[in-house]
Amino acid sequence: MAATEQAVEIRRRLAAANPAAFEPDLALSLNNLGGRLSGVGRQEEALAATEQAVQIRRRLAAANPAAFEPDLAGSLDNLGAHLSVLGRREEGLAATEQAVEIRRRLAAANPAAFEPHLAFSLNNLGVDLLGLDGPWEEALAATEQAVEIYRRLAAANPAAFEPNLAVSIDILGIHLSGLGRREEALRAEQEAALLKRERS
């Protein structure tokens, strides 16, 4: 935490003197600081740091989408998570939806590079919708897309992606159960449990 705070302090000073050269690095450090603050329960401070990272990356992405939209999507995912932890679920959902929108576009252009990130954001979207007690069908659709992507990735690289697939299938089971589709939910739970056992 102390090291990350020092990095932010240094990069804030550098970015004040030369924004073009140092704002991207400042945004990175702010993003990292948000994660560390959240990890020790300082949620309001984590949110503030991540909001600053999003603000900088949004500006950078507006000028150069190819270079900075992937980073913006990552910060938006983090922002959604911090807002949800603080009970600001509607705002959290909006941030996650923006991350999905960006990553869907990136993955369409370059699946190999961006499909894993898209699946991650779709997972988050499914969880965010679950936190709002639905809409269940919408939450299910997002999670089904994440599962579909992770299945394909795990088929090619089980060690890297089977853990993510298991998490997605777990979430899928929750959605199916909420929709009253008990047998499908049970099958999803069993598949997730099997994947976890195989990886342990």
Side-chain angles (χ1 to χ4, degrees):
M1 175 74 73
T4 308
E5 286 175 330
Q6 286 178 54
V8 168
E9 183 185 341
I10 292 166
R11 285 176 163 166
R12 205 184 286 285
R13 188 168 65 245
L14 292 169
N18 189 341
F22 295 110
E23 273 198 329
D25 295 328
L26 172 59
L28 174 64
S29 290
L30 285 164
N31 208 52
N32 292 343
L33 181 61
R36 284 173 175 57
L37 288 164
S38 180
V40 296
R42 293 162 61 180
Q43 302 300 342
E44 292 285 355
E45 293 168 87
L47 175 62
T50 306
E51 283 177 329
Q52 288 177 57
V54 167
Q55 182 183 3
I56 293 167
R57 285 176 162 172
R58 208 184 282 285
R59 189 169 62 248
L60 292 170
N64 188 342
F68 295 109
E69 274 198 331
D71 294 330
L72 172 59
S75 288
L76 285 165
D77 255 331
N78 292 343
L79 180 62
H82 296 321
L83 286 164
S84 293
V85 166
L86 289 166
R88 295 164 61 179
R89 297 191 181 279
E90 293 283 356
E91 295 169 85
L93 175 62
T96 305
E97 285 176 331
Q98 288 178 54
V100 168
E101 181 186 342
I102 293 167
R103 285 177 160 165
R104 204 183 285 285
R105 190 169 61 248
L106 293 169
N110 188 343
F114 295 111
E115 272 199 331
H117 303 294
L118 172 59
F120 179 81
S121 292
L122 285 165
N123 245 6
N124 289 346
L125 181 59
V127 171
D128 285 355
L129 287 163
L130 182 66
L132 290 166
D133 295 323
W136 287 98
E137 293 286 358
E138 211 175 308
L140 177 64
T143 306
E144 282 177 330
Q145 289 175 56
V147 168
E148 182 187 344
I149 293 168
Y150 278 135
R151 272 196 206 286
R152 192 166 60 250
L153 295 170
N157 189 342
F161 294 109
E162 276 190 352
N164 304 96
L165 175 59
V167 170
S168 285
I169 293 172
D170 259 336
I171 298 167
L172 181 66
I174 294 167
H175 295 323
L176 289 165
S177 181
L179 286 163
R181 294 160 61 176
R182 306 289 182 193
E183 288 185 12
E184 292 170 89
L186 178 60
R187 285 198 296 272
E189 289 165 18
Q190 290 170 336
E191 184 183 1
L194 179 61
L195 283 166
K196 288 173 187 173
R197 277 201 301 273
E198 288 173 351
R199 301 310 310 171
S200 62

